[in-house]
Amino acid sequence: MPLILENPNERLDSRRVYSGNSRELRAIFKACVAAGRIERAADFARRLIELYLDDPAAQQSICAEYIQAHVAMALESQKEESVKMLQRWFELEMRRRKIPVNAAIYALLTKASLRVLQGPKMERTVRRYIHMADNSELLVETLSVDGILSDEDLSRIARICPVDFFPTLDDNSTNSDVEIETVSDNQQSNPTVPPKVAEEIRPTEQKGLGLKTLKQSLAVFSHLTEGPASDRIFKTKAEEARFLTDVDYRRQIHLEENSVEAALNRWRAEHEKLKGIGRNSALTSAPLASLLWQWQCRLTSMIKEELTRTEESESMLWIRMTPSDKNRLQTGPFIRLISPEKLAATTILSFLTTLSLRPIVRGTRAVDAILHISASLEDENIAESIRKGRNAGLWTDLPVADRKRRLKYFLKRKTSRQPLAKMAVQPTTKEVEEDIHPRWTASLKGKVGGLLLSLLLKAAVVEVPGEISTEPNSKSENSIKYQPAFSHVNQNRMGKRVGVIMANTHLISKMEREPIGGTVAKFLPMLVKPQKWTGFNQGGFLLYPSRVMRCKGGDSIQAMYAKSASTRGDMDQMYEGLDVLSKTPWKINRPVFDVMLEAWNSGEAIANIPPENPQIEQLPKPSKSDDPLAYRIWQNASRMAENKRGGLHSQRCFHNFQLEVARAFLEEKFYFPHNLDFRGRAYPIPPYMNHMGADNCRGLLLFADGKELGTSGLTWLKVHLANLFGFDKASLRDRAEFAMNNIANIYDSATAPMAGNRWWLKAEDPWQCLAACIELKNALESPDPERFISHLPVHQDGTCNGLQHYAALGGDSWGAQHVNLEPGDAPSDVYTAVADIVREKTAADAANGNVAAQAVLPYITRRVVKQTVMTNVYGVTYDGAKAQVRKQLDQSMRGFRSESELDGYALSGYVASKIFKALASMFSGAHEIQYWLAESASRISSSITPRQIDEIRRAAAKVKEAGEATVASPNNKKKPLFSFNSSVIWTTPLKLPVVQPYRDTKSRLVHTNVQQLRIQEPYFTDPVNRRKQIQGFPPNFIHSLDASHMVLSAIKSDQAGLTFAAVHDSFWTHASDIDKMNEALRDAFIELHSQDIIGRLATELTIRYKGSVYEARIRQSSAISRKIADHRMESFRRNPNKKARNFDGLRMHEFLQEVERMRLLDSSDPEEQKRGREMVTPATIYAAMASRQDLSEPEGMASLRIGHVPATNESPQPRAKPDDMPGAGELETIELVGGEVEADDLITDGTATNNESKTDGQEPGDEHEDEDEDGDEDGDATPSTEEATPPKKPALPKGFARKFGSMNIWLPLEFPPIPKKGDFDVSRLKNSKYFFS
């Protein structure tokens, strides 16, 4: 059964409560708990309990969470009053409200009483809670809850409670039936293991952003050898042993904990150094770190003042609060989460990081800065809470299994209860809505980030040279003048007015000399193997919060499905695949790094490194008065030149980030933790340096663990080099010979990459080619090349992987042959095959005198068609394909278009149509499958779910007697009742649920301390974006299949003992293991496509959307349209409610009618079934008369067919002159109240409005379609006066026929038949050596 969540969190998201929705309340409550603000947490807990009146499980969760925080505070303070407050809460908020109590709550209350109360009062209280647990049959669970009651606590409970209840529990008691695990001596570790010291690297002088920046940015690595903290609390003995013995593990912990503290230490050190030499006029050229320390001190002071004001606001009465006071009630809990010092440093680092992502002179959008600051604070808070383990020191670390074994032996009277082995230990808190650390809402992020940014703008100042001081007490010759470091301005960008944070010019010059280096752990690779994924937010980094899935646009539904699938165990294979990718160790390729650093220092444009000072041609500025047209041309050219210069600068900045990270990890072994996108594709979490980066990143990376080449490995190394150079379409033997034929160039590239002939720069992937040249040279120069230990990853790439999946799904034999699914002696190239077909068809047209064919024939090459072929399978439209082709033709046909009257877009359209038709002929089965997927998505995205049906029926029943024209939405009067909010959801072959996140979400206005923000936060109740749902399903479905293939391949490769890495459809391993990996790739693909994937998908969609109805459109040209129109007219005339005689009223009437018919047919009562069969609705008329072809296609869906070409004139004409443009009256659409309706879908229904008449282009026979019921012909328009209307026909509202003419009808949601599969047998792939090569 597919995973189906019924109405996930609908109530939680739709109810509006004090200070925001329930998600905001939940986040604020969590923040208060984390900050130790128990009284404030109690207030929000009460509000949440009231919100969840109909959900006892949610109320119990909130109470348990509050009680745990309260117990922690009581144990820390040891105040009896704190326990009394806790008891009052328990009695008033839980027992009085009859909220169910679980074992964890009893255990918490018992522990607080044991540890804080004294004497008889303690004994009475403990005895009461123990008996309450026993009466609830929760005693065993209470005493064995994970990590609450220690052995000492149990001993005291045994002494307090009656002897006949259970005997004294002695920690030293032993019994042959009780096994108590102990830590053996070899598990104890020596805490004095000397740390590993990184080798110093000789600095090199360089221009601009050089090694000085790299050293400063990641200097934290020089401090990662500190010994273990004596006060650290560990969850397990194994974790403690690893921390004491594993230096890299300790360094990783330190890196994740102290990246912010390390930055603070650097700033403080620079400032102290400056103070040591005294303040003087040279201060303005002081290091940037000293300036940041001044900001840090000022911002820390301001945050403390804000916390004081927050305390005052919380003590005020609500009616006396100003808007600022009310805002502090929301932001206060969040700025308390971490210390003011760390909060200030996090704000500064995150803001400067945002500022540096683009050219500093352009500033950054305020909304980007606000959200980046709040996101950094959110992650830092979670990492801090994990690191501190706020309650860890208060609870025991005795394993649950030990506790259960002991209790099983010691407890007497509990033998009649469930076996302990079957008892599920309750967690201390059960999350209902969010994770243990719920994500902040966008509104809260805006308010918290806006507050911190506003404080930073006040705190950040920059020192600039001032005038000569005239003050008598001035000790220096010149005075130092302070100016704001940043300013908030409004600018027009892309036609919108946006707030921008601009940097002071003096600060810009300082930052250009000394770019800020403020990396944090989540941006860096890991020094130890990442944690294995065991849950939605459990895995990856040791401390920093990581989620296994990147949810697009903050979509919560995808996260809910992923969490539920994880709980069911459906994500286990995905987790296993991610763990395989994450545990691959890497290292930096030092020789390539040295060459890259030399290229960087030169400032030249080398490979993909942009130049430091690009020489961009600039046109001379003409006089605006002499020639306004020439001046506008110059303006556009200048703007394009500036954009190009800014783009190159941004690229160089990003390259600098990557070099910084590579520099820091030069002597390290490191790992990339991975997670998934919503389709299941795996990505490394560290963004700057990873193997999915550009060519320069990939060239810098080697496997940390090497393997001997062997005979096959040496050959594959040569093949790999040829592939990287671009010689990848020949046979494997020819590719290996290519390397040997260029051995002189290879040696020259490896020995003198910058001073030699630079042959490696001619490669398609120059940096990776250089790495391969160095590796091959080293192997050939070794005593035995086959024994050479190789670390270089060797790639195997698929042949247009999307088409491979489509060919297998559709069973296309011809298509399978061209994407190497069929065995062959040489590799097939689908791009060349398409180019050959296009060239052949174009030559035939040219011979027949087609001027466009004659013009483009010489330029039809593989390069021209490649991008369009590659992207067609992923949903590129015809217009997009034309743009792709035109870009290639512009490069090949330079000067042609300016000398020809043929329009460039017309030429590209001609070529694109030929490409599309070639694809359609090669992949016929895939053509039908792609359209089937799109049509299924179209029906889903225009459907009404059973939940919505019930809601509409209830609303209709309430207003039936009121005689209202339409039924309004019961929750929101402005919200349309027919809201199509069904996303396309499916399950991959590896059981990953995929939810398409495309919705039309309205912006929400959030007031912050800096400016107003419009933030979009999608909810599942928002209507879906139908166009994106339709166009996204085919490519996303294929992406989910290639992700499944990658994960299966990773698991099989790992089981075979291979090192494995992947970049979507490019798989990497050691050269010696390529043959084994290729076998795993083929086996995984065969295993995947041996299933009936499309059949299973159709079954899942049928089950998932059972009971839904969707709104379909009937073609105007179909015979059924007249029948339905007549039925509607008759239904309209019979309707006694005149207020409902409109488009919306009839639409609602037909909907309720169809829903009732479906209910009757689904009934077990034969009489009701008979009534359902006798009902006449548009759906029954359609079922009796129509076929699938009678349904018109939604806009844009036809373009999703592989190779679909719109019905346009393929032969381009000379460029249109202004006089040739179509007139204003030639419109293709008519905009109505209900939206846009295609002009050719309008039907007159025998009645025309006052302004309607027949056109000259009327089809033969149409003049007789206006007969009335008496058979009288009336070819004229309906008379405009009421007296002229036949008395038996009531007057129709103006525009009625047009609205009804669109022929939208309600149909039960059923899916079209599955396309017939071709005869290709996927098992033949077993012998295809070019499947991946």
Side-chain angles (χ1 to χ4, degrees):
M1 284 290 292
L3 174 60
I4 303 176
L5 299 183
E6 293 294 338
N7 312 333
N9 285 355
E10 176 189 7
R11 172 180 44 75
L12 306 184
D13 291 333
S14 60
R15 291 191 184 183
R16 301 290 301 177
V17 293
Y18 163 76
S19 73
N21 59 29
S22 61
R23 295 179 64 200
E24 294 177 357
L25 272 180
R26 187 85 171 171
I28 297 173
F29 169 67
K30 287 275 191 179
C32 291
V33 169
R37 308 288 297 185
I38 298 302
E39 294 182 0
R40 294 294 299 157
D43 183 39
F44 284 102
R46 291 188 186 96
R47 297 178 187 278
L48 284 167
I49 289 173
E50 294 171 0
L51 177 66
Y52 297 120
L53 288 177
D54 56 346
D55 192 344
Q59 292 179 323
Q60 183 190 79
S61 170
I62 294 162
C63 291
E65 194 169 350
Y66 170 78
I67 288 174
Q68 182 173 1
H70 201 136
V71 170
M73 182 193 71
L75 297 183
E76 289 178 353
S77 65
Q78 289 295 307
K79 293 181 179 179
E80 186 174 317
E81 181 61 29
S82 181
V83 176
K84 291 181 179 178
M85 291 174 57
L86 178 63
Q87 292 172 342
R88 283 197 296 271
W89 170 275
F90 175 69
E91 296 296 333
L92 297 177
E93 304 299 337
M94 291 202 72
R95 298 196 70 197
R96 191 182 68 173
R97 294 177 182 266
K98 297 182 180 180
I99 297 174
V101 183
N102 62 12
I105 293 175
Y106 284 130
L108 290 167
L109 295 170
T110 302
K111 188 177 187 74
S113 302
L114 277 171
R115 295 293 184 92
V116 180
L117 300 180
Q118 302 292 330
K121 183 183 297 183
M122 179 267 291
E123 294 182 359
R124 286 197 308 270
T125 307
V126 170
R127 192 176 294 114
R128 179 170 182 264
Y129 290 137
I130 289 295
H131 280 289
M132 289 174 67
D134 186 46
N135 292 336
S136 302
E137 298 189 353
L138 292 173
L139 181 59
V140 175
E141 294 93 323
T142 298
L143 300 179
S144 60
V145 169
D146 187 10
I148 296 183
L149 295 172
S150 66
D151 282 355
E152 178 186 355
D153 296 330
L154 291 181
S155 298
R156 297 182 65 187
I157 293 172
R159 290 191 292 269
I160 293 171
C161 294
V163 176
D164 61 346
F165 188 66
F166 54 82
T168 301
L169 178 62
D170 186 359
D171 289 340
N172 298 321
S173 301
T174 59
N175 188 284
S176 58
D177 295 333
V178 182
E179 298 180 4
I180 302 176
E181 296 178 1
T182 59
V183 180
S184 61
D185 293 338
N186 59 7
Q187 290 176 300
Q188 302 298 327
S189 50
N190 182 5
T192 60
V193 176
K196 181 168 60 178
V197 180
E199 178 184 351
E200 287 292 332
I201 300 174
R202 181 177 61 85
T204 304
E205 293 295 329
Q206 56 182 309
K207 299 179 181 179
L209 311 178
L211 283 179
K212 180 180 178 181
T213 301
L214 303 180
K215 275 187 160 184
Q216 183 186 22
S217 176
L218 291 170
V220 65
F221 276 83
S222 63
H223 304 289
L224 289 182
T225 57
E226 299 177 359
S230 59
D231 59 347
R232 179 174 296 279
I233 299 170
F234 301 96
K235 294 181 180 179
T236 63
K237 293 292 185 182
E239 181 181 338
E240 180 179 10
R242 185 181 182 189
F243 184 85
L244 294 174
T245 59
D246 189 338
V247 176
D248 286 335
Y249 180 79
R250 190 159 64 245
R251 295 170 72 214
Q252 179 66 32
I253 291 284
H254 186 83
L255 177 64
E256 295 188 29
E257 286 181 347
N258 300 320
S259 57
V260 176
E261 285 84 348
L264 282 174
N265 292 334
R266 292 198 304 275
W267 301 348
R268 186 185 296 109
E270 289 287 355
H271 186 70
E272 295 297 331
K273 179 180 177 181
L274 189 65
K275 287 176 61 179
I277 63 175
R279 294 181 63 90
N280 51 42
S281 59
L283 184 61
T284 54
S285 60
L288 179 62
S290 175
L291 181 62
L292 297 182
W293 177 251
Q294 297 178 42
W295 296 0
Q296 164 73 18
C297 295
R298 289 168 57 89
L299 183 56
T300 301
S301 176
M302 290 181 178
I303 291 174
K304 291 179 179 178
E305 293 174 2
E306 181 66 23
L307 288 172
T308 302
R309 287 192 290 269
T310 300
E311 296 275 0
E312 297 172 354
S313 298
E314 290 176 346
S315 63
M316 296 174 63
L317 295 176
W318 178 262
I319 58 175
R320 295 183 179 179
M321 288 184 183
T322 65
S324 297
D325 293 322
K326 295 177 181 178
N327 278 336
R328 289 192 184 101
L329 295 183
Q330 292 182 311
T331 59
F334 296 96
I335 62 175
R336 288 194 185 103
L337 293 174
I338 57 179
S339 66
E341 293 77 13
K342 196 167 187 177
L343 179 58
T346 302
T347 301
I348 295 171
L349 284 173
S350 58
F351 173 72
L352 292 181
T353 300
T354 307
L355 190 65
S356 62
L357 293 178
R358 298 176 180 84
I360 300 176
V361 294
R362 297 178 57 189
T364 184
R365 293 195 311 162
V367 63
D368 295 335
I370 288 172
L371 295 181
H372 195 176
I373 290 172
S374 57
S376 299
L377 174 60
E378 180 184 17
D379 287 345
E380 194 65 38
N381 160 51
I382 297 176
E384 181 81 2
S385 63
I386 294 174
R387 180 184 68 83
K388 290 170 63 177
R390 178 175 178 82
N391 299 331
L394 307 174
W395 318 126
T396 176
D397 59 358
L398 181 66
V400 179
D402 288 351
R403 176 62 49 77
K404 286 187 175 181
R405 283 196 291 270
R406 290 185 172 196
L407 289 174
K408 184 177 180 181
Y409 171 70
F410 286 112
L411 289 176
K412 276 186 174 181
R413 296 165 51 200
K414 313 306 168 201
T415 55
S416 61
R417 305 282 169 84
Q418 300 180 58
L420 284 169
K422 295 184 179 180
M423 290 184 179
V425 178
Q426 298 288 335
T428 54
T429 57
K430 178 183 177 183
E431 296 300 327
V432 176
E433 182 180 1
E434 286 287 347
D435 309 328
I436 192 169
H437 301 288
R439 291 289 175 176
W440 302 356
T441 64
S443 174
L444 289 175
K445 286 183 178 180
K447 292 180 179 180
V448 175
L451 169 64
L452 293 173
L453 179 60
S454 67
L455 295 179
L456 177 60
L457 295 181
K458 297 176 184 177
V461 295
V462 63
E463 299 164 332
V464 298
E467 300 294 335
I468 297 178
S469 177
T470 57
E471 299 178 5
N473 297 329
S474 177
K475 297 181 181 180
S476 60
E477 182 179 351
N478 293 338
S479 64
I480 300 299
K481 186 177 182 180
Y482 289 92
Q483 292 181 357
F486 308 100
S487 58
H488 178 231
V489 300
N490 291 321
Q491 293 182 354
N492 290 322
R493 292 188 176 182
M494 303 293 292
K496 294 182 180 180
R497 191 172 179 83
V498 297
V500 178
I501 307 298
M502 302 295 295
N504 188 294
T505 55
H506 293 86
L507 178 64
I508 291 174
S509 61
K510 185 181 286 290
M511 293 185 68
E512 287 178 343
R513 293 194 306 269
E514 304 176 67
I516 180 63
T519 55
V520 293
K522 64 181 178 180
F523 295 150
L524 301 177
M526 294 183 65
L527 299 173
V528 295
K529 288 183 181 179
Q531 293 189 95
K532 290 186 175 181
W533 287 103
T534 57
F536 182 79
N537 61 345
Q538 297 170 353
F541 290 105
L542 303 182
L543 297 181
Y544 259 101
S546 304
R547 288 189 167 192
V548 76
M549 182 166 289
R550 308 174 181 201
C551 298
K552 182 177 176 65
D555 186 68
S556 59
I557 304 303
Q558 176 67 77
M560 284 185 239
Y561 269 90
K563 292 174 191 175
S564 299
S566 179
T567 303
R568 296 195 343 169
D570 291 348
M571 297 276 286
D572 290 351
Q573 276 188 296
M574 301 301 295
Y575 290 163
E576 185 178 358
L578 287 176
D579 293 339
V580 172
L581 298 173
S582 300
K583 73 178 184 180
T584 298
W586 300 85
K587 69 177 184 178
I588 297 296
N589 190 331
R590 182 59 181 270
V592 174
F593 176 82
D594 291 338
V595 177
M596 195 174 296
L597 194 58
E598 183 181 354
W600 176 268
N601 293 340
S602 71
E604 300 176 10
I606 297 177
N608 65 335
I609 295 179
E612 183 178 10
N613 297 305
Q615 301 299 318
I616 300 176
E617 182 180 356
Q618 189 78 33
L619 296 176
K621 183 177 180 179
S623 173
K624 186 175 182 180
S625 58
D626 294 345
D627 190 349
L629 179 59
Y631 185 81
R632 285 198 298 271
I633 294 175
W634 172 83
Q635 278 186 318
N636 293 333
S638 299
R639 189 180 300 110
M640 293 177 64
E642 185 61 31
N643 290 340
K644 184 177 181 180
R645 182 178 290 105
L648 291 174
H649 178 76
S650 297
Q651 294 176 32
R652 191 166 176 87
C653 289
F654 192 71
H655 276 273
N656 185 66
F657 287 154
Q658 294 168 334
L659 279 173
E660 287 178 355
V661 177
R663 159 89 176 164
F665 284 85
L666 271 177
E667 304 299 328
E668 305 288 349
K669 176 192 285 190
F670 52 89
Y671 303 82
F672 297 123
H674 284 66
N675 61 3
L676 308 169
D677 70 0
F678 74 98
R679 301 161 300 189
R681 305 189 100 187
Y683 294 86
I685 298 176
Y688 295 138
M689 172 62 67
N690 60 64
H691 59 291
M692 284 194 184
D695 173 53
N696 61 305
C697 283
R698 300 184 186 188
L700 283 171
L701 294 175
L702 294 173
F703 288 138
D705 301 329
K707 285 190 177 183
E708 292 184 357
L709 279 177
T711 304
S712 65
L714 184 60
T715 301
W716 276 112
L717 183 57
K718 298 173 184 177
V719 171
H720 178 58
L721 193 151
N723 289 342
L724 294 172
F725 194 84
F727 189 75
D728 55 348
K729 301 301 175 288
S731 66
L732 295 177
R733 176 179 297 180
D734 291 341
R735 291 184 230 179
E737 291 179 356
F738 171 86
M740 298 311 297
N741 293 338
N742 287 276
I743 196 66
N745 290 324
I746 292 171
Y747 267 70
D748 178 79
S749 298
T751 55
M754 296 296 290
N757 60 24
R758 298 191 178 187
W759 176 80
W760 60 279
L761 286 177
K762 301 176 183 178
E764 287 187 359
D765 300 303
W767 292 113
Q768 295 176 80
C769 182
L770 176 61
C773 289
I774 296 171
E775 192 83 352
L776 182 58
K777 170 185 172 292
N778 293 340
L780 295 177
E781 289 183 345
S782 65
D784 185 356
E786 295 182 4
R787 300 289 300 275
F788 176 76
I789 304 299
S790 175
H791 294 262
L792 186 72
V794 176
H795 313 168
Q796 295 289 279
D797 298 340
T799 306
C800 198
N801 190 241
L803 284 175
Q804 287 180 325
H805 284 289
Y806 266 127
L809 289 172
D812 289 317
S813 296
W814 191 20
Q817 178 182 350
H818 285 92
V819 291
N820 293 308
L821 297 185
E822 285 277 13
D825 297 330
S828 297
D829 180 28
V830 66
Y831 309 117
T832 301
V834 171
D836 291 341
I837 295 175
V838 172
R839 194 179 300 110
E840 178 185 348
K841 299 295 184 183
T842 304
D845 289 348
N848 293 329
N850 188 306
V851 292
Q854 294 170 353
V856 300
L857 180 59
Y859 306 101
I860 301 298
T861 62
R862 179 181 184 273
R863 182 177 181 178
V864 169
V865 307
K866 180 178 179 179
Q867 187 179 11
T868 302
V869 173
M870 185 186 305
T871 55
N872 185 271
V873 68
Y874 293 121
V876 68
T877 62
Y878 180 68
D879 289 336
K882 287 196 298 183
Q884 293 170 347
V885 172
R886 182 175 185 178
K887 180 180 178 181
Q888 299 300 327
L889 290 179
D890 283 348
Q891 297 177 2
S892 304
M893 305 171 62
R894 292 187 184 277
F896 174 80
R897 282 178 32 247
S898 61
E899 300 172 3
S900 171
E901 291 188 355
L902 290 174
D903 182 76
Y905 272 111
L907 290 176
S908 60
Y910 172 82
V911 177
S913 67
K914 296 298 182 186
I915 296 173
F916 275 33
K917 290 184 177 180
L919 284 170
S921 64
M922 294 171 65
F923 298 92
S924 57
H927 169 100
E928 295 301 326
I929 287 175
Q930 195 174 34
Y931 188 77
W932 182 87
L933 293 171
E935 187 173 359
S936 299
S938 170
R939 298 186 182 190
I940 293 170
S941 58
S942 58
S943 65
I944 302 295
T945 65
R947 174 189 59 80
Q948 290 177 289
I949 291 174
D950 292 341
E951 180 181 303
I952 294 172
R953 293 183 66 183
R954 288 195 298 269
K958 290 180 180 179
V959 300
K960 184 177 181 180
E961 296 181 358
E964 296 182 8
T966 58
V967 181
S969 175
N971 293 331
N972 187 350
K973 298 300 182 182
K974 297 182 179 180
K975 180 181 177 181
L977 193 61
F978 295 114
S979 177
F980 301 126
N981 52 30
S982 294
S983 291
V984 180
I985 305 174
W986 72 96
T987 307
T988 71
L990 298 189
K991 299 183 181 180
L992 173 72
V994 181
V995 183
Q996 291 201 145
Y998 313 120
R999 297 184 179 274
D1000 288 329
T1001 302
K1002 293 184 178 180
S1003 298
R1004 179 181 176 187
L1005 189 64
V1006 177
H1007 298 271
T1008 72
N1009 291 54
V1010 177
Q1011 65 177 48
Q1012 292 183 348
L1013 303 179
R1014 287 197 174 274
I1015 298 178
Q1016 288 187 341
E1017 194 167 14
Y1019 290 102
F1020 82 100
T1021 52
D1022 295 330
V1024 296
N1025 186 313
R1026 190 182 184 195
R1027 180 183 61 82
K1028 290 184 177 180
Q1029 290 283 346
I1030 295 171
Q1031 295 183 349
F1033 188 27
N1036 287 334
F1037 182 73
I1038 295 300
H1039 279 311
S1040 71
L1041 290 185
D1042 69 46
S1044 299
H1045 177 236
M1046 186 279 295
V1047 170
L1048 278 177
S1049 300
I1051 295 172
K1052 290 180 180 293
S1053 297
D1054 183 62
Q1055 291 171 349
L1058 310 184
T1059 299
F1060 186 87
V1063 183
H1064 303 319
D1065 59 349
S1066 176
F1067 302 145
W1068 303 5
T1069 191
H1070 289 94
S1072 58
D1073 291 333
I1074 287 294
D1075 293 327
K1076 293 180 181 178
M1077 187 182 73
N1078 277 334
E1079 183 178 355
L1081 301 185
R1082 290 191 292 267
D1083 290 345
F1085 196 89
I1086 293 172
E1087 178 181 336
L1088 185 69
H1089 284 281
S1090 294
Q1091 312 170 40
D1092 183 10
I1093 294 177
I1094 298 299
R1096 189 179 65 182
L1097 174 64
T1099 302
E1100 177 188 348
L1101 295 180
T1102 301
I1103 295 173
R1104 185 178 298 280
Y1105 299 100
K1106 182 180 180 181
S1108 298
V1109 295
Y1110 79 103
E1111 196 169 30
R1113 175 178 291 179
I1114 303 298
R1115 293 183 184 276
Q1116 174 190 353
S1117 58
S1118 64
I1120 190 179
S1121 61
R1122 169 57 53 191
K1123 186 71 173 178
I1124 294 178
D1126 292 341
H1127 169 77
R1128 284 181 168 178
M1129 295 294 295
E1130 185 61 27
S1131 175
F1132 174 81
R1133 294 186 178 100
R1134 290 198 308 264
N1135 193 336
N1137 188 352
K1138 293 184 178 181
K1139 293 183 179 180
R1141 291 182 179 181
N1142 54 43
F1143 179 70
D1144 292 333
L1146 187 62
R1147 188 183 183 209
M1148 174 60 68
H1149 172 72
E1150 289 184 348
F1151 173 82
L1152 295 174
Q1153 215 180 20
E1154 183 58 32
V1155 167
E1156 177 65 12
R1157 187 182 73 87
M1158 292 171 58
R1159 186 193 69 80
L1160 294 174
L1161 292 176
D1162 197 43
S1163 172
S1164 58
D1165 186 351
E1167 283 297 322
E1168 289 192 341
Q1169 293 179 6
K1170 180 180 178 182
R1171 286 166 48 200
R1173 289 191 295 269
E1174 292 174 350
M1175 290 181 66
V1176 178
T1177 67
T1180 62
I1181 297 173
Y1182 170 81
M1185 299 180 57
S1187 64
R1188 179 183 173 189
Q1189 286 69 29
D1190 288 325
L1191 296 177
S1192 62
E1193 293 178 335
E1195 182 181 358
M1197 198 173 80
S1199 64
L1200 293 176
R1201 287 194 182 102
I1202 289 181
H1204 168 78
V1205 181
T1208 57
N1209 185 1
E1210 295 179 13
S1211 299
Q1213 305 298 324
R1215 289 176 178 159
K1217 300 179 177 57
D1219 295 340
D1220 298 329
M1221 301 302 290
E1226 300 178 28
L1227 302 179
E1228 294 183 356
T1229 60
I1230 298 177
E1231 188 169 345
L1232 301 177
V1233 176
E1236 286 191 354
V1237 179
E1238 294 180 9
D1240 59 0
D1241 282 341
L1242 298 178
I1243 297 179
T1244 59
D1245 289 338
T1247 310
T1249 60
N1250 298 343
N1251 298 325
E1252 294 173 331
S1253 61
K1254 294 183 179 179
T1255 64
D1256 296 335
Q1258 200 170 21
E1259 292 292 329
D1262 282 358
E1263 63 273 12
H1264 299 294
E1265 290 191 2
D1266 290 325
E1267 285 189 6
D1268 59 22
E1269 295 179 351
D1270 290 339
D1272 297 331
E1273 293 186 7
D1274 184 8
D1276 299 327
T1278 302
S1280 58
T1281 59
E1282 187 174 345
E1283 290 77 14
T1285 304
K1288 57 185 175 183
K1289 289 186 178 181
L1292 301 179
K1294 183 177 181 180
F1296 171 83
R1298 280 198 174 185
K1299 289 183 179 180
F1300 291 175
S1302 63
M1303 283 292 103
N1304 288 351
I1305 66 172
W1306 296 104
L1307 296 176
L1309 181 52
E1310 297 175 349
F1311 295 95
I1314 300 174
K1316 185 178 179 181
K1317 192 172 182 178
D1319 58 359
F1320 171 69
D1321 183 2
V1322 73
S1323 63
R1324 292 174 56 79
L1325 171 64
K1326 188 73 175 177
N1327 300 317
S1328 175
K1329 61 181 179 179
Y1330 293 106
F1331 170 53
F1332 272 67
S1333 63

